[in-house]
Amino acid sequence: MSESAQPIRRELRQLTRLAVPLAAAHFGQMLMGAVDTAVVGRAGEIALGAAGLGNAVYFTFGTLGVGIMLGLDPLVSQAIGADEPQRARRFMWQGVWLGLALAIPITGLVLAVVASLEIFGIESASAAQTQTYVLSRVLSLAPFFVFAGLRSYLQAVGKTSPMVWGVVIANAINLPLSWVLVFGDAGLQRVGLPAVGAPALGVAGAGWTSTVCTLVQLMVVVLAVRRVPAPVDDRRRKADAVLLRRTLRLGAPIGAQLCFEVGVFALVNVLMGQFGSRALAAHQIAITIASATFMIPLGIGAASSVRVGQAVGRQDQTGTRRAGFVGIGLGMAFMSLTATLFFLAPRLLARIFTDDPAVASAAVPLLLIAAVFQLSDGLQAVAAGALRGAGDTRPAMIANLVGHYGLGVPLAVLLAFGLGWQGPGLWWGLVIGLTVVGVWLAARFWRLTSKLVARA
């Protein structure tokens, strides 16, 4: 091994050690959502539609809150890199207070939206079921945000296994609890178990299950935080207006960035519906597969944020650049493998999700485009994480706004409706937008790390 390659290999090992559990935790969260959909789907189309709409509202506003909480990532990791454990612990506590505070207005917004569904043309039966679901789910917002804050601290100090254990335990209880709460005694009898007097809560049962699972994950990370020795600091638990403002300054652009990302995919989903149920089904298959593979670069991006932040805290310019570009290289390498799979076996992948040959055939061209999509999505996810670790959060917000809404969406509409490409046209628009965002962010990180990066 050449001497110059040793730091890169060492960085790759450390990055992978962080990224694997974080990616596994992200994948576990996605799995819980898939299980919830499978259970509620057996309660009827109104219940399934209500849970889907309720989740869309919940995660639209929840994403904003979690994005703001991600403002802690650079602050905590840079403090750890600078060997300032007291400061890192203080930021963790600011995350607790910020998460609880954010939950109040965001809960109000969620409730206001679901109370107004009929104004937007949603049928009364679906609106009522959606409200029932959200009322049971919205209670998880506060623990969800606090969990995000504690996760930032734990990953910065290298304790990532609690996030994995939390999602494993949550997945273990999710299916049986959801089944019992949704269907009650009838559900138990359907699987050969005796009745115990459990009421059938319907779609509300799925919401309560999600709330319980969120609380379980929070309890696991709380126990993990308590096992990390707290430095002597009588003020660490107190709310600090200066530190809270700093977190908000970094987190608000991340929240906006994530909302822009979620918004563009939601918009494409709506536009795809214009081409009929088969095109929409094909789109759902392709986006589900692409979302599953995206969990890996999402984990790599989170790990890169930590490694870059720690290097910035040490005031190590070479280490900062190395951490970011090793992460980008790892993310692109993985997504190259998945892109190859998408290119070589699109029909095989589609048939995993449908027995309808017409739907599978409609999904094939989308999965071929997704092969390109993989590279762009992986690049932007990891580059955004690297910039977040450096405390440079505004470029990702601006890039997503310009890349998607200034270029990607208009081109998608032109290709799909103007040139008649339909679904594939929408997907090429997504590819163009993601490519612009990814290249923009990677170039920004290159320029930013050409000199010593100041701490956030």
Side-chain angles (χ1 to χ4, degrees), residues 41 86 89 92 111 142 147 171 207 210 219 237 271 359 370 397 415:
Q86 287 183 333
R89 197 79 170 199
M92 184 201 77
L111 293 177
F147 169 84
N171 270 285
S210 295
M219 286 189 289
R237 293 188 176 92
L271 293 174
V359 173
M397 176 188 70
L415 294 173

Side-chain angles (χ1 to χ4, degrees), residues 11-28 155 158-165 167-168 295-304 307 330 334:
E11 178 63 42
L12 183 60
R13 285 195 301 271
Q14 293 172 328
L15 181 74
T16 304
R17 194 178 299 123
L18 270 176
V20 169
L22 292 175
H26 285 302
F27 190 81
Q155 66 188 28
K159 306 292 184 182
T160 53
S161 60
M163 278 76 84
V164 179
W165 280 112
V167 81
V168 167
M295 296 301 104
I296 303 301
L298 196 61
I300 296 171
S304 296
R307 295 294 301 161
L330 181 60
F334 175 82

Side-chain angles (χ1 to χ4, degrees), residues 72-357:
L72 288 166
D73 278 11
L75 297 169
V76 177
S77 60
Q78 289 178 18
I80 293 297
D83 196 22
E84 297 173 354
Q86 287 183 333
R87 188 172 181 81
R89 197 79 170 199
R90 282 191 185 186
F91 273 120
M92 184 201 77
W93 276 102
Q94 304 316 303
V96 172
W97 305 130
L98 180 60
L100 294 174
L102 283 174
I104 297 172
I106 292 179
T107 296
L109 286 170
V110 170
L111 293 177
V113 169
V114 297
S116 309
L117 289 176
E118 290 187 60
I119 298 174
F120 297 105
I122 304 298
E123 294 180 357
S124 58
S126 295
Q129 290 260 35
T130 302
Q131 290 160 7
T132 300
Y133 174 81
V134 169
L135 284 172
S136 58
R137 183 74 193 271
V138 77
L139 296 174
S140 67
L141 278 173
F144 185 36
F145 295 158
V146 174
F147 169 84
L150 298 182
R151 180 183 61 195
S152 291
Y153 177 76
L154 286 173
Q155 66 188 28
V157 297
K159 306 292 184 182
T160 53
S161 60
M163 278 76 84
V164 179
W165 280 112
V167 81
V168 167
I169 295 170
N171 270 285
I173 67 174
N174 185 45
L175 176 57
L177 184 61
S178 183
W179 189 265
V180 172
L181 292 183
V182 171
F183 299 111
D185 280 346
L188 291 172
Q189 292 169 342
R190 284 168 68 176
V191 294
L193 295 175
V196 295
L201 300 179
V203 71
W208 284 116
T209 300
S210 295
T211 297
V212 169
C213 288
T214 302
L215 287 169
V216 166
Q217 292 180 85
L218 176 60
M219 286 189 289
V220 171
V221 297
V222 166
L223 291 173
V225 166
R226 290 175 63 87
R227 293 173 64 88
V228 178
V232 177
D233 181 6
D234 294 337
R235 296 179 54 83
R236 67 177 181 273
R237 293 188 176 92
K238 294 183 179 180
D240 186 314
V242 174
L243 300 186
L244 283 169
R245 281 197 299 270
R246 188 167 296 172
T247 305
L248 281 169
R249 179 175 58 81
L250 292 174
I254 302 174
Q257 168 212 331
L258 295 181
C259 285
F260 292 152
E261 286 187 47
V262 170
V264 76
F265 283 96
L267 178 58
V268 167
N269 195 58
V270 171
L271 293 174
M272 189 68 74
Q274 304 297 311
F275 303 120
S277 58
R278 181 179 298 169
L280 189 57
H283 171 74
Q284 290 302 328
I285 289 171
I287 204 70
T288 297
I289 298 171
S291 297
T293 59
F294 179 67
M295 296 301 104
I296 303 301
L298 196 61
I300 296 171
S304 296
S305 176
V306 173
R307 295 294 301 161
V308 168
Q310 291 173 344
V312 170
R314 295 192 305 270
Q315 291 293 277
D316 178 359
Q317 179 189 351
T318 302
T320 298
R321 174 169 282 207
R322 181 169 56 238
F325 282 107
V326 167
I328 289 171
L330 181 60
M332 293 295 284
F334 175 82
M335 294 304 258
S336 296
L337 294 176
T338 60
T340 302
L341 177 62
F342 283 23
F343 183 76
L344 294 178
R347 188 172 298 276
L348 179 63
L349 292 172
R351 292 305 294 267
I352 295 172
F353 291 87
T354 181
D355 293 326
D356 187 332

